[in-house]
Amino acid sequence: MKHLVSIADLSAADIWEILNVSLQLKEELRAGKPRPLLAGKTLGMIFQKPSLRTRVSFEVGMLQLGGHALYLSPNEIQLGQRESTPDAARVLSRYVDALMARTFAHSDIELLAEYSRVPVINGLSDLSHPCQALGDLLTIYEKKGKLEGLRLAWVGDGNNVAHSLLLSAGKLGMAMTVASPKGYECNPDIVAKAKAAAVESGAKLSFTHDPAEAVQRADVIYTDVWASMGKEAERGERLKVFQPYQVDTRLVSKAAREVIVMHCLPAHRGEEITDAVLDGSHSVVLDQAENRMHAQKGLLVLLLT
Ligand code: CP
Ligand code: NVA
């Protein structure tokens, strides 16, 4: 493992290694015995879009490991505008030990990885959000004690987060059903990759337009905003199309009794998820947000040591 561009590049063993190291680091932190495994190392963080969790969890995670993180705002780098993305990658990687980037085009992450001489981590692109998936897998594992065989229902947009979860489910043998409106399904290339992985793992991946069908017997219900960053112009139209996909108490009651409800956050309360569900007893969204940091620390240690 050299970079983290997509979950598709990882084997099931790679994913488990990241999860196991993350769990160990989380335990050490809880016990008040964090190890400075990345002392003297610097992570450069390129952001073309806003962020709360990704920026703070990477920055604090690096600090806890004895290293340093550098926040590079959209105005500073102006990736691909002030200078070419390959030039930015070549220069930055002379200074820092790893790069994290949040971009619009997924191809920008791929370009950074191609031209950087240090590891590149995808901190969200239009196509995928692998760090989110790693934190989510850690959360599901902690709550349910296993991953293989669990039933995950995705309700809403077939977006970047859905893609990374679908690839994870395919690799790890989880059953995942995606319920999205017509015209808002997952990217066919991602679906093909996830299905190819599923042949080996035995994962069951299915797709529907019916949220009630997707959540039947689900162990995990997951939703995300209806208009992702960069899709703001479509917001009005999407609010109408996605209305039947709201995760409310009625929908949650159709799932397994012990179902956990997940959301990568930020949430638009009253749109894709109601207050009652987001703040209710099934919701694990805050543990999930916290686990972004633990999972990324595991990833950083594996990439840099
Ligand atoms: N879930 C997530 O990536 O949050 P931010 O956009 O706030 O980083
Ligand atoms: N799908 C959302 C995730 C935000 C963390 C977006 O891309 O805006």
Side-chain angles (χ1 to χ4, degrees):
M1 196 181 16
K2 191 162 171 262
H3 303 287
L4 178 61
V5 172
S6 166
I7 296 286
D9 307 330
L10 305 181
S11 66
D14 292 333
I15 297 175
W16 278 112
E17 193 179 11
I18 296 167
L19 298 181
N20 286 329
V21 173
S22 305
L23 283 168
Q24 193 188 333
L25 294 172
K26 182 172 179 177
E27 195 49 49
E28 289 172 4
L29 184 71
R30 288 248 161 105
K33 292 178 185 157
R35 283 178 294 157
L37 295 169
L38 300 184
K41 306 261 190 204
T42 300
L43 173 72
M45 306 191 296
I46 303 172
F47 282 92
Q48 289 189 318
K49 293 173 178 171
S51 169
L52 187 164
R53 281 143 290 270
T54 305
R55 189 240 165 123
V56 178
S57 59
F58 267 108
E59 192 161 331
V60 174
M62 279 302 288
L63 187 75
Q64 289 177 358
L65 289 165
H68 177 71
L70 202 62
Y71 172 70
L72 301 162
S73 77
N75 282 342
E76 280 159 300
I77 291 276
Q78 298 176 24
L79 201 64
Q81 292 170 22
R82 192 163 172 268
E83 61 198 298
S84 77
T85 300
D87 282 350
R90 282 189 280 237
V91 173
L92 276 168
S93 62
R94 294 287 177 114
Y95 300 130
V96 301
D97 301 286
L99 277 169
M100 192 283 298
R102 167 167 288 194
T103 64
F104 286 94
H106 186 73
S107 55
D108 281 340
I109 308 267
E110 290 174 332
L111 262 186
L112 286 169
E114 186 179 343
Y115 288 95
S116 166
R117 60 187 206 184
V118 300
V120 171
I121 298 169
N122 176 354
L124 180 147
S125 71
D126 281 359
L127 191 67
S128 62
H129 198 357
C131 292
Q132 184 66 51
L134 292 173
D136 297 343
L137 294 170
L138 190 62
T139 308
I140 299 169
Y141 180 70
E142 282 181 333
K143 301 291 176 190
K144 299 288 182 189
K146 63 173 186 175
L147 294 175
E148 198 174 346
L150 287 180
R151 306 166 72 96
L152 168 60
W154 176 273
V155 180
D157 193 15
N159 67 14
N160 44 9
V161 176
H163 291 157
S164 293
L165 289 170
L166 196 61
L167 290 166
S168 303
K171 298 268 173 179
L172 298 175
M174 299 170 77
M176 181 164 167
T177 304
V178 179
S180 43
K182 284 202 175 75
Y184 298 89
E185 294 95 347
C186 289
N187 176 299
D189 294 338
I190 298 281
V191 172
K193 280 185 185 157
K195 282 187 172 167
V199 172
E200 204 181 317
S201 72
K204 285 199 187 117
L205 307 178
S206 47
F207 303 88
T208 174
H209 299 298
D210 180 3
E213 182 191 325
V215 303
Q216 253 182 37
R217 294 170 48 224
D219 302 296
V220 182
I221 296 176
Y222 202 125
T223 190
D224 185 13
V225 291
W226 290 338
S228 286
M229 293 180 277
K231 302 273 184 205
E232 289 80 3
E234 298 174 18
R235 190 172 147 74
E237 174 65 16
R238 283 171 175 262
L239 279 179
K240 279 185 251 158
V241 173
F242 281 89
Q243 208 55 58
Y245 293 79
Q246 184 182 68
V247 175
D248 56 12
T249 47
R250 188 192 48 83
L251 190 69
V252 173
S253 72
K254 296 181 195 292
R257 214 152 47 92
E258 302 292 313
V259 67
I260 57 171
V261 175
M262 303 183 76
H263 190 309
C264 56
L265 305 180
H268 287 170
R269 289 169 174 265
E271 293 181 16
E272 75 275 4
I273 191 164
T274 58
D275 285 336
V277 174
L278 196 67
D279 302 327
S281 59
H282 295 282
S283 172
V284 299
V285 297
L286 296 179
D287 292 332
Q288 187 187 352
E290 179 187 328
N291 275 336
R292 284 292 303 279
M293 183 176 79
H294 303 298
Q296 288 156 193
K297 284 171 70 181
L299 173 69
L300 286 163
V301 165
L302 284 169
L303 286 173
L304 290 174
T305 59

